[in-house]
Each structure stands twice: as structure tokens, then as C-alpha cells.
């Protein structure tokens, strides 16, 4: 006979920490289902509010994280199935079936985790280099980055070169080859 598991209740501080760490990732996750950032944010906020109002207990922090991902996924799928979405977005059942697969859920989880790791690595860069890389990721050209940051194109190139070198060091563990 197994002993009763101790439950992990969210107090104000732990709830706030969980919200701050998971909210951005969950918004990206929801966006992959909904293709609308405002609706994705609403869905994630609704899940957090529901957890707080229902005073849900978890086995541990990892269980809480998994719970939030599953709750957001289910809320997204419910939204996609809703009459409102079908009317406004020309609902296609075939797309919804693809979203419900475990493979889609796992691949989106990998994308989110990888994005989080990369963002953490970028945040370790010097401020200007991090700005250059973020703008570069958003498809800004070197000229546009130079204009945006009021620096020369050669400085943009130098920041990129140094940043890529550091990022290879920070992210070397991701090399699977």
C-alpha cells in the first residue's frame, strides 16, 4: 500500500513565480494552436485564473507545469471547436484533428523548450549584441538593425560575429551531430 503523496499548494508567491515562468511559454504554445496572439493570451490567463479560483493542488512543480500545458491545450481545442471560431475562422475539421494528436503536442513542446533555451542564452550576451541578434531573428537586415540601434553596419556585423561565437558555446550541448 502506497503512502499518500504530499500535495503542492500554490500560495501567492509560488503562484506568481509559476505565472512569470510559464506565461510566455504557454502563450507561444497556445498561439501555435490558435494563430492569434490576443486570443492565446486570453486562453492562458483564463487557465491561470481558473487554477487560482479552484485552489488546485499539485504533486510537485513539474506536475503543475504539465497540468498548465494540458489545460491550455484543452482550452485551445475547445475554442477551435466552438461555434464562435467556426463562424469567424472557417473551421476545418481536418486541421483540428491534426492539432489533437500527441505528435503535434510533443513537437510544439520541443519548439517551446528550444525557444526558451535560446532566449536564455541570448539574455547572457552583452546588451547590444543581444539586441542585434533579436532583431536579426525578427528578419531585420543589417542596414535596418544599424538604423534601429543607431550604430554602423560594421558594428552590427561585429556584434553578430561575437554573439554567434558565444551562442555556439552556450548552446553547444544542442549539437546532435
Amino acid at each position: 500500500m502506497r503512502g499518500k503523496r504530499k500535495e503542492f499548494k500554490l500560495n501567492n508567491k509560488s503562484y506568481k513565480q509559476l505565472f512569470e515562468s510559464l506565461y510566455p511559454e504557454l502563450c507561444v504554445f497556445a498561439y501555435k494552436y490558435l494563430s492569434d496572439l490576443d486570443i492565446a493570451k486570453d486562453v492562458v490567463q483564463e487557465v491561470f485564473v481558473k487554477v487560482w479560483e479552484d485552489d488546485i493542488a499539485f504533486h510537485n512543480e513539474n506536475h503543475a507545469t504539465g497540468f498548465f500545458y494540458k489545460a491550455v491545450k484543452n482550452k485551445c481545442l475547445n475554442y477551435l471547436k466552438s461555434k464562435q471560431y467556426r463562424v469567424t475562422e472557417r473551421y476545418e475539421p481536418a486541421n483540428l484533428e491534426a492539432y489533437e494528436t500527441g505528435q503535434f503536442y510533443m513537437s510544439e513542446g520541443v519548439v517551446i523548450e528550444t525557444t526558451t533555451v535560446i532566449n536564455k542564452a541570448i539574455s547572457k550576451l552583452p546588451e547590444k549584441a543581444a539586441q542585434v541578434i533579436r532583431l536579426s531573428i525578427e528578419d531585420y537586415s543589417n542596414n535596418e538593425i544599424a538604423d534601429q540601434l543607431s550604430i554602423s553596419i560594421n558594428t552590427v556585423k561585429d556584434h553578430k560575429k561575437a554573439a554567434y561565437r558565444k551562442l555556439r558555446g552556450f548552446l553547444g550541448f544542442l549539437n546532435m551531430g
Side-chain angles (χ1 to χ4, degrees), residues 54-71:
D54 291 354
D55 196 24
I56 296 175
F58 303 99
H59 300 299
N60 55 44
E61 194 170 333
N62 288 336
H63 179 249
T65 299
F67 175 89
F68 275 98
Y69 271 94
K70 189 166 188 170

Side-chain angles (χ1 to χ4, degrees), residues 86-140:
R86 287 193 305 256
V87 169
T88 61
E89 302 295 330
R90 293 183 177 84
Y91 170 72
E92 294 181 34
N95 290 343
L96 186 58
E97 288 172 11
Y99 291 154
E100 289 178 330
T101 65
Q103 183 179 2
F104 177 82
Y105 182 70
M106 291 303 293
S107 68
E108 291 308 309
V110 169
V111 168
I112 290 165
E113 286 298 318
T114 304
T115 302
T116 301
V117 168
I118 291 169
N119 282 330
K120 285 180 182 176
I122 291 171
S123 70
K124 293 178 183 178
L125 295 172
E127 185 179 345
K128 279 287 189 200
Q131 289 174 328
V132 167
I133 293 299
R134 285 192 176 102
L135 290 171
S136 182
I137 289 170
E138 293 175 21
D139 281 339
Y140 281 71

Side-chain angles (χ1 to χ4, degrees), residues 148-162:
Q148 180 94 14
L149 299 178
S150 302
I151 57 178
S152 75
I153 293 174
N154 285 335
T155 304
V156 169
K157 291 176 182 177
D158 290 343
H159 280 307
K160 277 186 169 181
K161 185 177 177 180

Side-chain angles (χ1 to χ4, degrees), residues 30-50:
Y31 177 79
K32 296 287 186 177
Y33 283 96
L34 304 171
S35 300
D36 184 313
L37 189 55
D38 290 330
I39 295 171
K41 288 177 179 178
D42 289 345
V43 163
V44 174
Q45 287 174 357
E46 288 173 21
V47 169
F48 271 97
V49 168
K50 181 79 171 143

Side-chain angles (χ1 to χ4, degrees), residues 162-176:
Y164 289 140
R165 191 177 327 108
K166 287 183 180 184
L167 288 173
R168 274 193 290 278
F170 295 150
L171 301 171
F173 68 94
L174 291 176
N175 186 359
M176 303 301 267

Side-chain angles (χ1 to χ4, degrees), residues 17-40:
Q17 288 173 334
L18 195 61
F19 178 84
E20 288 173 351
S21 69
L22 286 180
Y23 180 77
E25 296 173 22
L26 289 171
C27 287
V28 171
F29 182 68
Y31 177 79
K32 296 287 186 177
Y33 283 96
L34 304 171
S35 300
D36 184 313
L37 189 55
D38 290 330
I39 295 171

